[in-house]
Amino acid sequence: GAGVSQTPSNKVTEKGKYVELRCDPISGHTALYWYRQSLGQGPEFLIYFQGTGAADDSGLPNDRFFAVRPEGSVSTLKIQRTERGDSAVYLCASSLGEQDTQYFGPGTRLTVL
Amino acid sequence: GDSVTQMEGPVTLSEEAFLTINCTYTATGYPSLFWYVQYPGEGLQLLLKATKADDKGSNKGFEATYRKETTSFHLEKGSVQVSDSAVYFCALSELSGSARQLTFGSGTQLTVLP
């Protein structure tokens, strides 16, 4: 079956611009996670959704980052006024329930020039 | 807070060599422990997991045992293959509020030469 998909696979933007990154979870998975992976590091947690609501957004670095999941399926991570330090691979994962195995998408590589 | 420390890379081995990648953790409760693998050009995949002390996770010839007394979850394989070349991440998860977020180590790059 289809896995987690993320679009775009690559995004290059200029400092100060706004970007949206999309995640399509595995069908039927209620839990959705966003992580950020900087070069040479492991992924770091950003935010977790259970259904439509953000159950834990403690990993968002600041108020320029925001994520939504309006219908409990697709999620969008939004970054305002991008900075060069935001350059990283943004990973999405989904799981059947909150205590189940997380399946990861291929990631979106964001480069802020 | 929770943290995971894993063996610095890169690691280069010859085919059929024995592999150990060390992983230790710090956690406030009783976490579940995981090894994820990232093959070149692919996304993170769960390799194996263990949910309580003394459990052994295994998959594709890889094994890791949850050692609470030493807070470790070392990854081992008796005979590596070229196809095992990848980046390996140790991770833990602990219920935090309603979430089961993963905390990852920094990854170990493994290269297996023919």
Side-chain angles (χ1 to χ4, degrees):
Chain A
V4 178
S5 63
Q6 293 186 244
T7 54
S9 55
N10 279 284
K11 176 71 177 178
V12 180
T13 191
E14 293 180 342
K15 180 175 179 297
K17 299 290 188 183
Y18 168 83
V19 297
E20 290 189 351
L21 312 178
R22 176 187 167 107
C23 171
D24 275 276
I26 293 172
S27 178
H29 281 196
T30 62
L32 186 146
Y33 299 80
W34 283 98
Y35 294 82
R36 179 168 71 172
Q37 185 175 16
S38 300
L39 192 63
Q41 300 298 316
E44 294 180 316
F45 169 76
L46 295 176
I47 186 170
Y48 156 69
F49 287 88
Q50 179 59 42
T52 60
D56 184 349
D57 64 358
S58 62
L60 294 177
N62 52 59
D63 61 6
R64 295 187 298 105
F65 289 74
F66 189 71
V68 296
R69 196 185 184 200
E71 297 178 358
S73 179
V74 170
S75 176
T76 304
L77 178 65
K78 308 181 181 194
I79 310 174
Q80 298 178 321
R81 304 183 306 279
T82 52
E83 300 177 357
R84 293 193 179 88
D86 298 335
S87 296
V89 176
Y90 288 82
L91 298 171
C92 177
S94 71
S95 64
L96 191 59
E98 66 182 27
Q99 297 197 26
D100 296 302
T101 298
Q102 294 181 32
Y103 295 89
F104 282 80
T108 294
R109 181 176 298 279
L110 175 66
T111 303
V112 182
L113 300 177
Chain B
D2 296 347
S3 66
V4 175
T5 302
Q6 64 180 101
M7 180 175 171
E8 294 278 334
V11 174
T12 302
L13 296 173
S14 297
E15 206 164 24
E16 299 184 2
F18 183 85
L19 169 71
T20 300
I21 301 177
N22 290 338
C23 171
T24 57
Y25 67 89
T26 302
T28 53
Y30 299 96
S32 295
L33 301 175
F34 306 81
W35 278 99
Y36 277 81
V37 59
Q38 191 168 35
Y39 297 103
E42 298 185 17
L44 276 169
Q45 301 175 24
L46 178 65
L47 181 60
L48 54 84
K49 68 178 183 181
T51 58
K52 61 183 188 296
D54 299 326
D55 269 2
K56 178 185 284 188
S58 60
N59 186 27
K60 300 182 180 180
F62 290 89
E63 293 184 338
T65 301
Y66 189 142
R67 300 286 187 201
K68 187 167 179 290
E69 63 276 13
T70 55
T71 62
S72 65
F73 193 56
H74 304 322
L75 182 68
E76 295 183 338
K77 186 174 186 181
S79 176
V80 293
Q81 305 301 311
V82 172
S83 58
D84 294 327
S85 298
V87 182
Y88 293 81
F89 292 93
C90 185
L92 67 82
S93 72
E94 192 166 39
L95 280 173
S96 172
S98 61
R100 198 171 177 88
Q101 64 197 63
L102 289 161
T103 299
F104 287 88
S106 57
T108 301
Q109 171 81 54
L110 170 67
T111 301
V112 180
L113 302 175

